Amino acid sequence: MTKFINPFTDVGFKRIFGQEINKDLLIDFLNSLLEGERHISDIHFLDKEIQGESIEDRNCIYDIYCTDDNGEQFIVEMQNRRQAFFRERAVYYLSRAIARQGERGSNWQFDLKAVYGIFFLNFQLESIGQKLRTDVCLEDRDTHEPFSDKLRFIFLQLPLFDKEEHECDNNFERWIYVLKNMETLQRLPFKARNAVFQKLEEIVDIASLSKEDRMKYDESIKVYRDNLVTELYAVQKGLEQGLQQGIQQGLKQGIQQGIQQGLKQGIQQSQADIARRMKSKGYAAAEIADMTGLSPEAIAAL
């Protein structure tokens, strides 16, 4: 029987990382993600929906949107399904967060705060490499010198994490291990190393959910599983169509090759028959070769 919630559902993900009362969990994860770069002491959750500048503009709705004690912003998203232009959407989301920092009037000097986009991907994203973590920033193409630290994208391809519990070397890997395996675990590991995992275990225990929260979670898990089934069906249909097209193309090519081979064999057989008849009537080998195109060796073997 499942003991812990699925963190990849909308309700599960936001229960772990999107609650003010449990913001120490998100702080700990962000610090493990950015270890050696910076340390976050506190965060404040922001409105997850950014309104468009006009009625025609599209709104941005983030999973989690927060700012730290230095004013830098973090957009944290869980993505379970592939979608067209996902990387472009990530650029748009962070760009909107940058743009809304602008202030009216001529006194503002473009004093921007950095915006980080952290994207949990429950699939492999094409063209970003076969690795768990991909960091994207603004830098010189040739020298790789940083150009600006105001935009930072971090993509986490969870299917590419394959470490076992005892192989996790740092707090970031421990977080990824727990999130990826949570639904199958009967206890959360690493509690002795980091007290935050003890609190996490209490929060994600299904038995700790209120009746209302359990109803929301059950609906969320249904949506999650429906999406998986829909994607699996699309993949299977794609494979079936590809196989069918391959078979049809193969048959078509086989038929064409068969016709061509048959014609070739027919022509060769006809040439041999003519050569035999000419040979039986006493024609010289040179004349037979000239009329049929057969080699002297082939004619001699008839």
Side-chain angles (χ1 to χ4, degrees):
M1 182 177 178
T2 302
K3 180 175 175 59
F4 300 120
I5 62 176
N6 185 324
F8 305 133
T9 62
D10 182 64
V11 169
F13 186 70
K14 291 174 183 175
R15 182 174 179 82
I16 296 170
F17 289 130
Q19 299 185 101
E20 182 74 29
I21 192 173
N22 298 320
K23 63 182 180 181
D24 53 324
L25 300 179
L26 180 58
I27 291 172
D28 189 85
F29 173 76
L30 292 176
N31 281 331
S32 73
L33 184 73
L34 301 172
E35 186 174 6
E37 297 183 40
R38 50 168 316 186
H39 182 80
I40 300 168
S41 301
D42 194 16
I43 60 170
H44 171 66
F45 287 96
L46 302 172
D47 187 352
K48 294 181 292 185
E49 182 171 2
I50 296 181
Q51 300 291 333
E53 295 297 324
S54 68
I55 194 170
E56 293 85 7
D57 289 340
R58 186 170 186 170
N59 295 350
C60 289
I61 302 177
Y62 308 132
D63 286 344
I64 295 166
Y65 185 33
C66 63
T67 183
D68 70 0
D69 43 334
N70 292 319
E72 298 190 334
Q73 299 177 8
F74 297 84
I75 297 167
V76 186
E77 293 260 315
M78 170 61 75
Q79 190 71 24
N80 282 307
R81 301 177 63 189
R82 295 173 177 84
Q83 61 177 235
F85 308 113
F86 176 75
R87 287 176 296 180
E88 288 76 8
R89 193 190 76 161
V91 172
Y92 179 74
Y93 271 21
L94 268 64
S95 298
R96 286 291 299 274
I98 284 282
R100 74 193 304 255
Q101 295 181 38
E103 299 177 6
R104 295 182 180 277
S106 59
N107 294 328
W108 183 60
Q109 300 298 314
F110 298 94
D111 182 22
L112 297 172
K113 298 295 183 179
V115 176
Y116 293 76
I118 296 100
F119 301 92
F120 289 87
L121 306 179
N122 207 14
F123 57 89
Q124 290 181 236
L125 186 63
E126 295 81 2
S127 304
I128 68 167
Q130 297 292 307
K131 57 181 180 176
L132 166 66
R133 175 174 177 167
T134 298
D135 284 61
V136 180
C137 55
L138 298 176
E139 64 176 26
D140 184 277
R141 185 183 64 178
D142 298 323
T143 67
H144 301 294
E145 287 293 321
F147 173 75
S148 171
D149 63 353
K150 303 309 179 186
L151 277 179
R152 174 80 171 276
F153 302 82
I154 303 177
F155 299 96
L156 303 174
Q157 300 184 91
L158 298 178
L160 296 178
F161 182 81
D162 57 2
K163 287 193 174 185
E164 298 296 332
E165 178 181 336
H166 67 279
E167 297 176 309
C168 296
D169 297 323
N170 52 58
N171 210 41
F172 168 68
E173 290 183 350
R174 294 179 192 114
W175 263 109
I176 299 300
Y177 176 85
V178 168
L179 291 172
K180 185 172 180 180
N181 296 283
M182 183 178 293
E183 201 177 18
T184 63
L185 297 172
Q186 291 302 306
R187 61 164 186 85
L188 291 197
F190 314 126
K191 290 177 288 187
R193 289 179 173 271
N194 188 342
V196 77
F197 290 111
Q198 176 63 54
K199 182 173 183 178
L200 178 64
E201 184 175 67
E202 297 168 0
I203 291 170
V204 299
D205 192 331
I206 289 180
S208 70
L209 300 179
S210 67
K211 183 178 180 180
E212 181 180 359
D213 287 342
R214 181 59 188 268
M215 291 176 63
K216 291 179 180 178
Y217 173 70
D218 287 345
E219 180 61 29
S220 182
I221 199 74
K222 179 180 181 299
V223 171
Y224 171 76
R225 288 169 178 166
D226 285 348
N227 287 338
L228 288 182
V229 170
T230 300
E231 183 171 358
L232 179 60
Y233 175 76
V235 171
Q236 289 176 337
K237 289 298 292 182
L239 289 173
E240 290 173 3
Q241 291 175 356
L243 180 61
Q244 185 64 33
Q245 290 174 356
I247 291 173
Q248 292 175 349
Q249 184 66 22
L251 287 173
K252 182 178 179 181
Q253 292 176 350
I255 291 171
Q256 290 175 340
Q257 291 173 358
I259 292 173
Q260 292 172 355
Q261 185 66 25
L263 287 172
K264 182 178 180 181
Q265 291 176 350
I267 291 171
Q268 290 174 343
Q269 185 62 45
S270 177
Q271 289 173 326
D273 289 342
I274 294 172
R276 286 193 189 94
R277 289 198 296 270
M278 292 181 69
K279 192 174 182 181
S280 67
K281 293 182 180 293
Y283 283 85
E287 292 180 302
I288 298 174
D290 184 58
M291 294 294 294
T292 64
L294 295 177
S295 66
E297 295 77 14
I299 294 170
L302 294 175

